[in-house]
């Protein structure tokens, strides 16, 4: 138990260091952006490669993929209903503050410190449909609800997905697993140091992006409440084995409390949003997520 508490404290300390580095202006203003690119485009692909290489796509891992698809579909549908016939700003808040999980930027590096490679692999599979919803379904619904200023373009979406190195690495490794092709062990051993470094870099980036909300708009509170009700209900279904996950049960509970994707404000801005309530919602949700995930790691591992 002491080791678990030590690791949990380490998570909070790294995030706090990132926050202090930002507030003291010790690092340049664009440090979070640079570290985020380093984590997502360099280190995270090696996490996927290391944890999926040579792995049989078991029923558990398929269930993890379907779990991500099902949960984000429910959250997205709830956001759509909350945003129907509402002002433009409400559409953006609901669509970018209810669905989505920062499973690769926060939940995965945390689980790397506690869980087995098999559980980390389940998180990689969980994230594949999450990326699909975030980059394709949500922007499309924003346009359907009449809030998007940038027209939805399948070509642009495809281009963005191809440029997403981590997503492409996950899909490639999934294909290799289905074909029962494994990369040489020597290559994986060479990749592992970069994969192991992802936790510290990703958590430091979280700290650099962290911001205490200055106020709590009603729409943000409603979005957060709906998200928590759905994710907590889902977690209870898994906890009481009403949805059996076997060896990946703990990972499938913890990932439900991962924060909203950090890119949500940027994607909202790209589609014409000019306010700051989406960023407030992401920051407020991040506070709850850090507390919830740290507590769950203490209880479940």
């Amino acid at each position: 138990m002491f080791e678990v508490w030590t690791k949990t404290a380490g998570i909070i300390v790294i995030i706090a260091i990132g926050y202090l580095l930002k507030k003291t202006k010790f690092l340049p203003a664009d440090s979070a952006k640079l570290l985020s690119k380093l984590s997502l485009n360099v280190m995270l692909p090696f996490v996927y490669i290391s944890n999926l290489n040579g792995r049989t796509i078991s029923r558990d891992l398929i269930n993890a993929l379907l779990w991500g698809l099902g949960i984000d579909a429910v959250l997205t549908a709830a956001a759509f209903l909350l945003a129907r016939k509402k002002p433009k700003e409400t559409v953006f808040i609901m669509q970018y503050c209810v669905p989505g999980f920062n499973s690769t930027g926060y939940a995965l590096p945390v689980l790397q410190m506690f869980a087995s490679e098999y559980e980390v692999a389940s998180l990689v599979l969980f994230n594949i449909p999450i990326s699909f919803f975030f980059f394709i379904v949500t922007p499309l619904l924003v346009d359907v609800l009449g809030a998007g200023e940038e027209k939805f373009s399948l070509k642009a979406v495809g281009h963005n997905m191809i440029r997403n190195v981590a997503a492409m690495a996950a899909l490639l490794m999934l294909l290799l697993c289905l074909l029962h092709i494994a990369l040489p062990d020597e290559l994986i051993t060479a990749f592992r140091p970069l994969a192991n470094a992802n936790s510290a870099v990703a958590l430091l980036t979280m700290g650099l992006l962290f911001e205490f909300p200055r106020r709590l708009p009603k729409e943000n509170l409603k979005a957060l409440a709906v998200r928590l009700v759905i994710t907590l209900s889902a977690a209870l279904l898994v906890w009481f084995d009403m949805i059996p996950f076997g060896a990946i049960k703990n990972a499938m509970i913890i990932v439900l409390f991962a924060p909203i994707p950090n890119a949500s404000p940027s994607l909202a801005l790209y589609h014409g949003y000019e306010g700051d309530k989406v960023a407030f919602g992401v920051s407020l949700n991040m506070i709850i997520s850090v507390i919830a995930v740290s507590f769950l790691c203490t209880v479940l591992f």
Side-chain angles (χ1 to χ4, degrees):
M1 179 63 72
F2 178 75
E3 182 181 356
V4 172
W5 277 108
T6 301
K7 289 182 177 180
T8 303
I11 294 168
I12 297 172
V13 167
I14 295 172
I15 294 173
I17 289 173
Y19 181 75
L20 290 173
L21 289 174
K22 177 181 71 173
K23 286 300 180 182
T24 57
K25 298 182 180 179
F26 184 82
L27 292 178
D30 61 350
S31 295
K33 185 176 182 180
L34 292 173
L35 286 178
S36 179
K37 285 184 176 181
L38 179 65
S39 173
L40 293 175
N41 296 320
V42 179
M43 296 175 179
L44 189 58
F46 289 122
V47 173
Y48 290 174
I49 292 169
S50 298
N51 288 280
L52 285 180
N53 185 56
R55 196 170 292 283
T56 300
I57 301 300
S58 63
R59 179 175 295 180
D60 282 343
L61 296 183
I62 293 173
N63 287 342
L65 188 148
L66 295 175
W67 185 233
L69 179 65
I71 288 297
D72 222 25
V74 171
L75 288 170
T76 301
F80 181 81
L81 293 175
L82 289 169
R84 285 186 65 191
K85 299 180 180 179
K86 291 296 193 317
K88 178 178 177 179
E89 183 169 62
T90 302
V91 172
F92 278 110
I93 291 171
M94 295 306 169
Q95 288 298 323
Y96 288 107
C97 291
V98 175
F101 296 92
N102 187 6
S103 51
T104 55
Y106 182 68
L108 190 145
V110 171
L111 276 180
Q112 275 185 278
M113 301 172 69
F114 293 95
S116 67
E117 289 189 350
Y118 187 57
E119 289 170 300
V120 173
S122 72
L123 212 64
V124 176
L125 272 293
F126 176 92
N127 189 64
I128 291 174
I130 302 301
S131 297
F132 170 80
F133 271 90
F134 185 72
F135 288 107
I136 298 178
V137 178
T138 294
L140 177 59
L141 290 178
V142 168
D143 285 337
V144 168
L145 291 166
E149 292 187 1
E150 291 284 345
K151 292 297 182 182
F152 179 81
S153 167
L154 191 60
K155 181 179 179 180
V157 169
H159 181 66
N160 287 334
M161 286 295 291
I162 291 173
R163 292 177 59 190
N164 188 326
V165 181
M168 290 299 100
L171 290 173
L172 175 62
M173 292 308 299
L174 177 60
L175 178 62
L176 291 179
C177 290
L178 292 173
L179 295 174
H180 302 288
I181 298 174
L183 299 175
D185 289 339
E186 294 80 6
L187 197 60
I188 299 303
T189 300
F191 289 163
R192 202 169 296 280
L194 278 171
N196 293 339
N198 181 65
S199 291
V201 173
L203 293 174
L204 189 64
T205 305
M206 288 284 287
L208 291 169
L209 291 168
F210 191 86
E211 192 63 59
F212 286 100
R214 296 190 295 275
R215 52 196 172 92
L216 303 176
K218 186 171 73 171
E219 295 94 337
N220 283 130
L221 293 177
K222 183 186 291 187
L224 180 61
V226 169
R227 179 183 174 90
L228 285 175
V229 167
I230 293 173
T231 53
L232 183 58
S233 300
L236 290 173
L237 290 175
V238 180
W239 175 257
F240 289 108
D241 293 317
M242 297 180 71
I243 302 179
F245 277 110
I248 64 170
K249 174 180 177 179
N250 292 345
M252 293 299 98
I253 292 175
I254 288 175
V255 73
L256 294 173
F257 296 94
I260 301 166
N262 291 334
S264 287
S266 298
L267 200 56
L269 184 66
Y270 176 77
H271 282 272
Y273 182 62
E274 297 177 354
D276 55 7
K277 291 183 181 179
V278 171
F280 286 164
V282 172
S283 294
L284 178 61
N285 176 256
M286 194 185 298
I287 296 172
I288 296 172
S289 292
V290 169
I291 295 171
V293 171
S294 299
F295 174 75
L296 286 171
C297 286
T298 304
V299 172
L300 299 176
F301 291 101

